[in-house]
Amino acid sequence: MNLILASVVSLGGIGALSAVILYFIAQKFHVEEDARIDEVEAVLPAANCGGCGFPGCRAFAAACVTADTLDNLSCPVGGTATMEKVADILGKKAAAVVPTIAVVRCGGTCEMREKTNSYDGVKSCTIVHNLYGGETGCSWGCLGLGDCEVSCTFDAIHINPETMLPEVDEDKCTACGACVKACPKNIIELRRKGPKSRRIYVNCVNKDKGAVNKKVCKVACIGCSKCFNVCPYEAIEMGNNLAYIDSEKCKLCRKCVEVCPTNAIVELNFPPRKTKIEEPSTTGTEK
Amino acid sequence: MNKLIVSPAPHVHSGNSIRKEMVSVLIALIPAYLVALYYFGVGAIIVSVTSVISCVIFEYLIQKFLIKGENTVSDYSAVLTGLLLSFNLPSNLPVWIVVIGALVAIGVGKMSFGGLGNNPFNPALVGRVFLLISFPVQMTSWPRPIAWNTAYLDAETSATALSALKEHLGNIPSLFDMFVGNMGGSMGEVSALALLLGFVYLLFKRTITWHIPVSILLTVFIMTGIFYLVNPQTYVSPIIHLLSGGLMLGAIFMATDFVTSPMTKTGMTIYGIGIGIITVVIRMFGSYPEGVSFAILIMNAFTPLINTYIKPKRFGEVRKNG
Amino acid sequence: MKTFKMGGVHPPENKFSAGKKTKIISLPQQVIIPLRHYSGNPSVAEVSRGEIVKVGQLIGRANGFISANVHSSVSGKVSKIDNAMDAFGYKFPAVFIDVIGDDWLDEVDLSPEVKRVCNLEPHEIIKKVAEAGIVGLGGATFPTHVKLSIPQGKKAEVLIINGAECEPYLTCDHQLMLEKGEEIIIGISILMKAIRVKKAIIGIESNKMDAVLNLEKWAKTMEGIEVVPLKVKYPQGSEKQLIQALTGREVPSGALPIEVGAVVQNVATTFAVYEAVQKNKPLIERIITVTGKSVPEPGNYWVRIGTPFTHIIEETGGMPQDTGKVVAGGPMMGRALPSLDLSVAKGTSSILFIPSSESKRGKVFNCIRCAKCVFHCPMGLEPYLLMNQGEKQMWENMEENRVMDCIECGSCSFICPSNRPLVDYIRYGKSTVGTMIRNRKTQKS
């Protein structure tokens, strides 16, 4: 009996004492925190992807609360809707966000770009990139080992085992930019999602001369400037033997797609063109 | 022409493999196994074969149906776990208890952490200690060593030197008998001579370094030596401590398990000293006659801590103050 | 016998071409001379298309601090200046020259006699070395004149000559020491003069005792040169390890050898220095070893810089049928070539054919924490830990665990029973942490 009593008293005493100490410590180290941070955090997607440039959603929420305007702050995952909610809570104005999406700019599938050697080692693009130019003759293109796939927290980008190129799942991609950072070849770019997800882009980042390119990859941009000349909106820039379509200026007229000799310019989610059989008939009636 | 293979340097490999490491430990266990066969005969064969086979089967089944990973039986680590487990068991242990031990060793001790390389505790010892606590009677009735023994479950039993000490029975075998293994005990631990032969082989093959075994044995020797010098009536000579119980087996084969021991030589020495101290404390003041298994498991828990704080000597290290 | 203290491994030596007399590879039809020799900035082309060049003529001028001059190794017509693939598989500018005859510049002394006396001042020697475009021929190809220019406030005490050649298979330095012993010793005396030291030590692994004896014979003719045989252990040829083996001094972490008063040069570099200073001959050729387990006649060959690999392979008996991997350099640190359409650079020390049966890496298993990588690391690092952190991209932790000290010798990957790609991740960590440190410095300044 004595033993039980003694242990109850001593343990209870230690417990009570610790509680008192803890109470005072908590008082002393109490951090005053803006209650709105919690509110803001609650409307954020809680993906902690870091796409906003902050380490996690809570840090972003804190930044929103302390910032004067929300102009430079945006949550790529939640998009405009989320930022409006945040703006409501804080009584600030949200900047309009143009929805973007990750775009893989390499068309070098196994057929189009033949392997010249075979890599044997760690399955990591960054390690291969550090080692050498890659399994194909093109030292700019996709290595196909899936660093982007690993980096994606939304399960939105996957290497297609047939083409060995990554493919972006449009419904899942939140444009957080993790894959853009993960890709050692800087192939992936965040581009404007475009109306009805329609996009036109140059599917190549190879800066070698056209003659060299053509040997190693059938769909490489050879820097011929045909698209540059045909574009009515000056949306195409030429440089380093490579064309680049500015998604801000592009009006999706698709003229460049038609003139590209190597099919390096890709159009996405457009309705099928009128077939060529129709064309002569229409011109014929006009005559 | 075939495509050239490109891979990062180095382009040659020593040819070393997990299997080779495991096989060299298995070879080093052969002398002790032969001694076990000589003194414990049929019982030793039944216990060891059961243990090895059930360890391998459990690993195969767990890998196939629970982890659904690649088959890892071929690296022989399960064989080694099985053999080491049986070395820590008395040779008259019923088969079903051995099987339970193997299940705990492989299932709880190894595979639950993700297989070889991820287990924090020595699997064979996890199995052994589980059996020791669950079946204390069966686990501490040691058969008397008789040359070419054919008895198994009905083998005549005797006390180990350590339990004799604990209960002040006083009939300790002669030092020579203890050295060659002519005493009661777990089937693999009795012969210090055979185990030391294995140690020499492991050192020769560079499978292990001397740091862990030597630091354990030295610590035990020094600590028990001090007690002996202070009071020779109560405490026995340090030589008896070295030769008795599972100390040799533990120091040479159990504590040096790759996965659960520290990575640096200094760390290994600290780990060994820790095992030595805990062993002596349990032997002298604990309620169990033998403490090597517990000591190793306790120090296994400290291994990550040792790895974090004890770093190897770096080349060209610049001292912060110097 | 002396050696370094910590770690190291013993890969099978396989020096099939040891003692094979050097042969000269004939001139190819076209040479492709890279303007970038592995490290540093590419040089700026000094010639233009269609120009006729002579052997030894400057075709690329050093651009920036870590860069070296490039000279034409053949005479002929510059057909183009274009990008060519280097051993990394990336494209860098190179000069393509169609070979016509073998017409040397007049100032190059082609006579066979050995010129022993050198009366130049130290800065004149360094200038000549820089002009001749000499880089470290051991493999790192760091410009030699940069190494010889001792930074202010530091003093060189000893010149260390690296004749260890610890890489398996390679014998080019060995053969050079056998054939050009006198020239090497003169080169060493010139270098001693250039950095103002009275003492030079040549470290040679004891599997090359004939080279030790030959150099000892010639070293007696000069003052202050000592030849020391070393116990065979890889990576003896690493700068820091060699200094420790020969002088007992440890280069502090993150510092250069000059911190302990040592300057290290490769034997092949000293020979190039001799030729440049005494014979006015720029670095336009070198010895390479062509070897491999199934190569019918492994040997050592003099080749002009820029000779296509295909030409060398053709001349030396073709590529063995079972080749799976072609490595430029030794098997421990050399580069696997993505293609044979490359040409010899200044740092190319060998063409090594590895049979396909040995080309593939073994299957990777879990780390069993056997600590072999820790014991064998010559720098006292913990490769297993660095690899784990590399996989998880924990760069700060890698920096704390001194990833930058790694010399990438590959001993850890070589010894690992689980075939883990330790050095791959460490290299990855090194490059990332290196960038991190550089960014930090630029931010501060």
Side-chain angles (χ1 to χ4, degrees), chain A residues 8 17 21 43 67 74 86 95 125 151 165 204 210 215 239 244 251 263 268-269 283:
Chain A
V8 166
L17 189 68
I21 293 172
V43 298
S74 80
V86 173
C125 304
S151 75
L165 289 175
C204 183
K215 275 183 207 156
Y244 175 77
K251 299 270 193 291
N263 294 324
L268 271 185
N269 301 321
T283 47

PDB file of all heavy atoms in Angstrom, chain A residues 8 17 21 43 67 74 86 95 125 151 165 204 210 215 239 244 251 263 268-269 283:
ATOM      1  N   VAL A   8       2.394   7.043  -6.414  1.00  0.00           N
ATOM      2  CA  VAL A   8       1.370   7.974  -6.893  1.00  0.00           C
ATOM      3  C   VAL A   8       1.761   9.404  -6.532  1.00  0.00           C
ATOM      4  O   VAL A   8       1.726  10.316  -7.364  1.00  0.00           O
ATOM      5  CB  VAL A   8      -0.012   7.628  -6.281  1.00  0.00           C
ATOM      6  CG1 VAL A   8      -0.987   8.773  -6.494  1.00  0.00           C
ATOM      7  CG2 VAL A   8      -0.554   6.365  -6.913  1.00  0.00           C
ATOM      8  N   LEU A  17       4.676  19.469 -11.189  1.00  0.00           N
ATOM      9  CA  LEU A  17       5.805  20.391 -11.284  1.00  0.00           C
ATOM     10  C   LEU A  17       6.129  20.681 -12.757  1.00  0.00           C
ATOM     11  O   LEU A  17       6.294  21.836 -13.160  1.00  0.00           O
ATOM     12  CB  LEU A  17       7.023  19.777 -10.592  1.00  0.00           C
ATOM     13  CG  LEU A  17       8.225  20.705 -10.408  1.00  0.00           C
ATOM     14  CD1 LEU A  17       7.885  21.801  -9.400  1.00  0.00           C
ATOM     15  CD2 LEU A  17       9.449  19.929  -9.950  1.00  0.00           C
ATOM     16  N   ILE A  21       6.158  24.214 -14.838  1.00  0.00           N
ATOM     17  CA  ILE A  21       7.332  24.700 -15.588  1.00  0.00           C
ATOM     18  C   ILE A  21       6.959  24.938 -17.043  1.00  0.00           C
ATOM     19  O   ILE A  21       7.239  25.988 -17.626  1.00  0.00           O
ATOM     20  CB  ILE A  21       8.491  23.678 -15.485  1.00  0.00           C
ATOM     21  CG1 ILE A  21       8.986  23.609 -14.046  1.00  0.00           C
ATOM     22  CG2 ILE A  21       9.638  24.066 -16.418  1.00  0.00           C
ATOM     23  CD1 ILE A  21       9.979  22.499 -13.802  1.00  0.00           C
ATOM     24  N   VAL A  43      -7.425  28.183 -46.914  1.00  0.00           N
ATOM     25  CA  VAL A  43      -7.960  28.186 -48.277  1.00  0.00           C
ATOM     26  C   VAL A  43      -6.920  27.764 -49.317  1.00  0.00           C
ATOM     27  O   VAL A  43      -7.246  27.541 -50.468  1.00  0.00           O
ATOM     28  CB  VAL A  43      -8.538  29.574 -48.665  1.00  0.00           C
ATOM     29  CG1 VAL A  43      -9.693  29.932 -47.765  1.00  0.00           C
ATOM     30  CG2 VAL A  43      -7.466  30.639 -48.655  1.00  0.00           C
ATOM     31  N   ALA A  67       2.550  41.013 -46.915  1.00  0.00           N
ATOM     32  CA  ALA A  67       2.800  41.809 -48.129  1.00  0.00           C
ATOM     33  C   ALA A  67       1.803  42.962 -48.243  1.00  0.00           C
ATOM     34  O   ALA A  67       0.666  42.866 -47.777  1.00  0.00           O
ATOM     35  CB  ALA A  67       2.714  40.923 -49.354  1.00  0.00           C
ATOM     36  N   SER A  74       1.388  34.595 -56.101  1.00  0.00           N
ATOM     37  CA  SER A  74       0.310  33.813 -56.681  1.00  0.00           C
ATOM     38  C   SER A  74       0.529  32.348 -56.387  1.00  0.00           C
ATOM     39  O   SER A  74       1.662  31.880 -56.334  1.00  0.00           O
ATOM     40  CB  SER A  74       0.232  34.033 -58.184  1.00  0.00           C
ATOM     41  OG  SER A  74       1.195  33.252 -58.823  1.00  0.00           O
ATOM     42  N   VAL A  86      -8.058  34.360 -50.956  1.00  0.00           N
ATOM     43  CA  VAL A  86      -7.034  34.944 -50.091  1.00  0.00           C
ATOM     44  C   VAL A  86      -7.228  36.455 -50.015  1.00  0.00           C
ATOM     45  O   VAL A  86      -7.182  37.064 -48.935  1.00  0.00           O
ATOM     46  CB  VAL A  86      -5.621  34.606 -50.622  1.00  0.00           C
ATOM     47  CG1 VAL A  86      -4.555  35.347 -49.825  1.00  0.00           C
ATOM     48  CG2 VAL A  86      -5.381  33.118 -50.570  1.00  0.00           C
ATOM     49  N   ALA A  95      -4.079  39.839 -57.961  1.00  0.00           N
ATOM     50  CA  ALA A  95      -3.708  40.099 -59.356  1.00  0.00           C
ATOM     51  C   ALA A  95      -4.282  38.980 -60.206  1.00  0.00           C
ATOM     52  O   ALA A  95      -4.375  37.831 -59.767  1.00  0.00           O
ATOM     53  CB  ALA A  95      -2.193  40.137 -59.488  1.00  0.00           C
ATOM     54  N   CYS A 125      18.291  11.732 -64.556  1.00  0.00           N
ATOM     55  CA  CYS A 125      18.679  12.624 -65.637  1.00  0.00           C
ATOM     56  C   CYS A 125      19.846  13.510 -65.222  1.00  0.00           C
ATOM     57  O   CYS A 125      20.749  13.765 -66.009  1.00  0.00           O
ATOM     58  CB  CYS A 125      17.521  13.532 -66.019  1.00  0.00           C
ATOM     59  SG  CYS A 125      16.032  12.684 -66.476  1.00  0.00           S
ATOM     60  N   SER A 151       9.857  14.419 -59.535  1.00  0.00           N
ATOM     61  CA  SER A 151       9.688  15.697 -58.853  1.00  0.00           C
ATOM     62  C   SER A 151       8.217  16.082 -58.706  1.00  0.00           C
ATOM     63  O   SER A 151       7.873  16.902 -57.880  1.00  0.00           O
ATOM     64  CB  SER A 151      10.425  16.792 -59.626  1.00  0.00           C
ATOM     65  OG  SER A 151       9.682  17.122 -60.783  1.00  0.00           O
ATOM     66  N   LEU A 165       9.535   9.859 -73.698  1.00  0.00           N
ATOM     67  CA  LEU A 165       9.447  11.294 -73.437  1.00  0.00           C
ATOM     68  C   LEU A 165       8.382  11.510 -72.374  1.00  0.00           C
ATOM     69  O   LEU A 165       7.424  10.740 -72.289  1.00  0.00           O
ATOM     70  CB  LEU A 165       9.028  12.037 -74.708  1.00  0.00           C
ATOM     71  CG  LEU A 165      10.040  12.135 -75.830  1.00  0.00           C
ATOM     72  CD1 LEU A 165       9.404  12.780 -77.029  1.00  0.00           C
ATOM     73  CD2 LEU A 165      11.254  12.915 -75.389  1.00  0.00           C
ATOM     74  N   CYS A 204      11.378  21.798 -79.558  1.00  0.00           N
ATOM     75  CA  CYS A 204      12.803  21.485 -79.652  1.00  0.00           C
ATOM     76  C   CYS A 204      13.594  22.582 -78.956  1.00  0.00           C
ATOM     77  O   CYS A 204      13.203  23.747 -78.986  1.00  0.00           O
ATOM     78  CB  CYS A 204      13.235  21.384 -81.113  1.00  0.00           C
ATOM     79  SG  CYS A 204      14.963  20.930 -81.293  1.00  0.00           S
ATOM     80  N   GLY A 210      21.555  23.626 -87.980  1.00  0.00           N
ATOM     81  CA  GLY A 210      20.526  22.779 -88.570  1.00  0.00           C
ATOM     82  C   GLY A 210      21.059  21.513 -89.199  1.00  0.00           C
ATOM     83  O   GLY A 210      20.494  20.435 -89.034  1.00  0.00           O
ATOM     84  N   LYS A 215      20.821  15.402 -88.703  1.00  0.00           N
ATOM     85  CA  LYS A 215      21.406  14.067 -88.698  1.00  0.00           C
ATOM     86  C   LYS A 215      20.972  13.282 -87.474  1.00  0.00           C
ATOM     87  O   LYS A 215      20.796  12.087 -87.538  1.00  0.00           O
ATOM     88  CB  LYS A 215      22.936  14.179 -88.696  1.00  0.00           C
ATOM     89  CG  LYS A 215      23.521  14.339 -90.076  1.00  0.00           C
ATOM     90  CD  LYS A 215      25.030  14.354 -89.982  1.00  0.00           C
ATOM     91  CE  LYS A 215      25.612  15.143 -91.142  1.00  0.00           C
ATOM     92  NZ  LYS A 215      26.938  15.657 -90.842  1.00  0.00           N
ATOM     93  N   GLY A 239      16.963  32.679 -82.598  1.00  0.00           N
ATOM     94  CA  GLY A 239      18.239  32.887 -81.915  1.00  0.00           C
ATOM     95  C   GLY A 239      18.894  31.554 -81.662  1.00  0.00           C
ATOM     96  O   GLY A 239      18.201  30.571 -81.375  1.00  0.00           O
ATOM     97  N   TYR A 244      11.621  30.371 -81.196  1.00  0.00           N
ATOM     98  CA  TYR A 244      10.892  30.314 -79.939  1.00  0.00           C
ATOM     99  C   TYR A 244       9.608  31.101 -80.102  1.00  0.00           C
ATOM    100  O   TYR A 244       9.621  32.241 -80.570  1.00  0.00           O
ATOM    101  CB  TYR A 244      11.731  30.905 -78.806  1.00  0.00           C
ATOM    102  CG  TYR A 244      10.979  30.979 -77.507  1.00  0.00           C
ATOM    103  CD1 TYR A 244      10.791  29.832 -76.734  1.00  0.00           C
ATOM    104  CD2 TYR A 244      10.436  32.177 -77.065  1.00  0.00           C
ATOM    105  CE1 TYR A 244      10.076  29.890 -75.561  1.00  0.00           C
ATOM    106  CE2 TYR A 244       9.718  32.244 -75.884  1.00  0.00           C
ATOM    107  CZ  TYR A 244       9.541  31.089 -75.129  1.00  0.00           C
ATOM    108  OH  TYR A 244       8.821  31.143 -73.972  1.00  0.00           O
ATOM    109  N   LYS A 251      -1.162  34.265 -81.464  1.00  0.00           N
ATOM    110  CA  LYS A 251      -2.619  34.331 -81.587  1.00  0.00           C
ATOM    111  C   LYS A 251      -3.180  33.004 -82.105  1.00  0.00           C
ATOM    112  O   LYS A 251      -4.309  32.932 -82.567  1.00  0.00           O
ATOM    113  CB  LYS A 251      -3.003  35.453 -82.551  1.00  0.00           C
ATOM    114  CG  LYS A 251      -2.543  36.828 -82.094  1.00  0.00           C
ATOM    115  CD  LYS A 251      -3.595  37.498 -81.232  1.00  0.00           C
ATOM    116  CE  LYS A 251      -3.310  38.976 -81.028  1.00  0.00           C
ATOM    117  NZ  LYS A 251      -2.117  39.217 -80.194  1.00  0.00           N
ATOM    118  N   ASN A 263       8.462  19.520 -88.903  1.00  0.00           N
ATOM    119  CA  ASN A 263       7.374  19.289 -87.956  1.00  0.00           C
ATOM    120  C   ASN A 263       7.796  19.520 -86.516  1.00  0.00           C
ATOM    121  O   ASN A 263       7.387  18.811 -85.603  1.00  0.00           O
ATOM    122  CB  ASN A 263       6.813  17.876 -88.080  1.00  0.00           C
ATOM    123  CG  ASN A 263       6.153  17.666 -89.414  1.00  0.00           C
ATOM    124  OD1 ASN A 263       5.529  18.586 -89.936  1.00  0.00           O
ATOM    125  ND2 ASN A 263       6.330  16.485 -89.979  1.00  0.00           N
ATOM    126  N   LEU A 268      -1.589  21.915 -80.121  1.00  0.00           N
ATOM    127  CA  LEU A 268      -2.250  21.021 -79.184  1.00  0.00           C
ATOM    128  C   LEU A 268      -3.719  21.390 -79.066  1.00  0.00           C
ATOM    129  O   LEU A 268      -4.061  22.576 -78.996  1.00  0.00           O
ATOM    130  CB  LEU A 268      -1.613  21.125 -77.805  1.00  0.00           C
ATOM    131  CG  LEU A 268      -0.442  20.220 -77.484  1.00  0.00           C
ATOM    132  CD1 LEU A 268      -0.053  20.392 -76.040  1.00  0.00           C
ATOM    133  CD2 LEU A 268      -0.769  18.765 -77.775  1.00  0.00           C
ATOM    134  N   ASN A 269      -4.565  20.389 -79.018  1.00  0.00           N
ATOM    135  CA  ASN A 269      -5.991  20.537 -78.728  1.00  0.00           C
ATOM    136  C   ASN A 269      -6.740  21.396 -79.734  1.00  0.00           C
ATOM    137  O   ASN A 269      -7.729  22.030 -79.407  1.00  0.00           O
ATOM    138  CB  ASN A 269      -6.193  21.120 -77.324  1.00  0.00           C
ATOM    139  CG  ASN A 269      -5.562  20.244 -76.271  1.00  0.00           C
ATOM    140  OD1 ASN A 269      -5.626  19.024 -76.372  1.00  0.00           O
ATOM    141  ND2 ASN A 269      -4.937  20.855 -75.293  1.00  0.00           N
ATOM    142  N   THR A 283     -11.475  26.105-103.776  1.00  0.00           N
ATOM    143  CA  THR A 283     -10.829  27.039-104.706  1.00  0.00           C
ATOM    144  C   THR A 283     -11.456  26.939-106.087  1.00  0.00           C
ATOM    145  O   THR A 283     -11.593  27.920-106.793  1.00  0.00           O
ATOM    146  CB  THR A 283      -9.319  26.764-104.801  1.00  0.00           C
ATOM    147  OG1 THR A 283      -9.120  25.371-104.971  1.00  0.00           O
ATOM    148  CG2 THR A 283      -8.586  27.239-103.573  1.00  0.00           C
TER     149      THR A 283
END
